[in-house]
Amino acid sequence: MCGRFAFYQEIDPLLDDLDAVDLTDGELRRRWNVPPTAPIHVVTESVDKESGEVVRALRIARWGLLPPFAKDEAFSSRTFNARRETIEEKPSFRGSLGRYRAIVPMDGYYEWVRGEGGRSKKQPYFITPQDGSRLYMAALVSWWKGPGHHEGPAASEDGTFLLSATIITREATGELARIHDRTPVMLRRDAVDAWLDTSMDDRHDAAAWIRDDAHLLDDATLELREVGPAVGKVGNDGPELIEPEERLL
């Protein structure tokens, strides 16, 4: 799964790499411990209603997708991940699959492994590219109307809608499976454009595309780094959270 991550790199290189415009207000600072329901960066692609041009943009969304039928924002605490195996069937996600796909950029994510013999103490790992590059996680977004009068960085300018997002996961394999049975769908850079492409507007086509492992980042390019227990507390934040555990002793 993916229930905590870090995104601390500068925004401008991201915008250049993805050829995206920045529609955020710059409020979100660098963060090393992002939990579900928090505001996160997403990259979306949509067709401008007035010009007809395709716009790729960096936006802010609430982490946890809110489908149209969600009664309140608390619903998002259950929808921060979406399984790719069932994404086409689940009512919460299938409406976004054909029209509202996205990318969640990050530097790495955390998972916890239970100690040997089932001990209650868990060892946190930070999973990040070995070369220091960014990760591009396949995601879905939804503009939720709800009661309206929304506020905060994920709200539309007039407060009518709230942008929300979920990160797609798959069954883990190889070394990643040693840490957790699920892992985010991490896309190769050259697969990002196809995932965001607005011309793929059929949810069945999108579901088939995301199930194809040919689009995945090679797991062998990742570092699985043991880190200290401080990341387990949501209120903790800072670069020390991703330092190898032995350096913290």
Side-chain angles (χ1 to χ4, degrees):
M1 62 182 296
C2 180
R4 204 78 64 82
F5 70 86
F7 183 40
Y8 46 79
Q9 293 192 27
E10 297 295 330
I11 293 298
D12 286 346
L14 169 69
L15 297 174
D16 292 341
D17 183 36
L18 296 180
D19 193 22
V21 296
D22 189 359
L23 297 184
T24 72
D25 55 14
E27 281 188 12
L28 285 191
R29 58 184 176 83
R30 299 194 296 171
R31 295 173 297 167
W32 286 263
N33 198 4
V34 183
T37 73
I40 62 173
H41 290 93
V42 298
V43 177
T44 64
E45 203 166 270
S46 58
V47 178
D48 185 89
K49 293 181 179 179
E50 295 183 1
S51 67
E53 295 181 352
V54 175
V55 178
R56 182 176 292 184
L58 180 70
R59 303 175 184 271
I60 302 299
R62 179 185 175 90
W63 187 14
L65 193 136
L66 293 164
F69 57 81
K71 294 183 179 180
D72 54 42
E73 294 181 20
F75 188 94
S76 66
S77 65
R78 308 191 300 272
T79 53
F80 57 90
N81 285 165
R83 290 174 173 253
R84 74 170 181 176
E85 299 90 340
T86 58
I87 198 171
E88 190 178 4
E89 308 161 9
K90 295 295 185 180
S92 294
F93 306 123
R94 64 190 181 197
S96 294
L97 190 54
R99 301 173 56 199
Y100 298 117
R101 296 183 302 277
I103 294 294
V104 173
M106 64 178 69
D107 291 288
Y109 69 99
Y110 300 95
E111 288 294 0
W112 282 259
V113 177
R114 191 173 296 281
E116 295 181 4
R119 296 197 306 269
S120 59
K121 183 179 179 181
K122 294 183 178 182
Q123 171 63 54
Y125 282 79
F126 184 60
I127 301 163
T128 186
Q130 296 173 5
D131 63 2
S133 59
R134 282 177 298 274
L135 291 172
Y136 292 127
M137 308 303 199
L140 302 175
V141 294
S142 173
W143 287 100
W144 181 65
K145 188 171 184 179
H149 307 293
H150 300 293
E151 298 180 348
S156 59
E157 289 187 10
D158 60 3
T160 302
F161 294 96
L162 185 70
L163 186 63
S164 60
T166 187
I167 294 174
I168 301 174
T169 67
R170 64 176 178 87
E171 184 177 353
T173 57
E175 277 296 291
L176 290 177
R178 178 175 63 84
I179 293 179
H180 199 282
D181 62 350
R182 305 291 301 177
T183 186
V185 174
M186 295 173 268
L187 297 180
R188 300 196 325 261
R189 173 60 187 88
D190 59 4
V192 167
D193 295 338
W195 176 245
L196 294 178
D197 191 348
T198 58
S199 66
M200 185 167 62
D201 56 4
D202 182 272
R203 65 183 174 94
H204 303 294
D205 291 342
W209 191 96
I210 200 62
R211 287 194 292 265
D212 186 348
D213 287 350
H215 309 305
L216 299 179
L217 183 72
D218 185 354
D219 291 348
T221 65
L222 301 172
E223 174 190 355
L224 283 57
R225 182 190 307 164
E226 291 188 6
V227 294
V231 69
K233 185 176 181 180
V234 173
N236 292 335
D237 197 12
E240 67 277 3
L241 297 182
I242 65 171
E243 289 292 329
E245 187 172 29
E246 61 268 18
R247 296 184 187 175
L248 303 175
L249 298 179

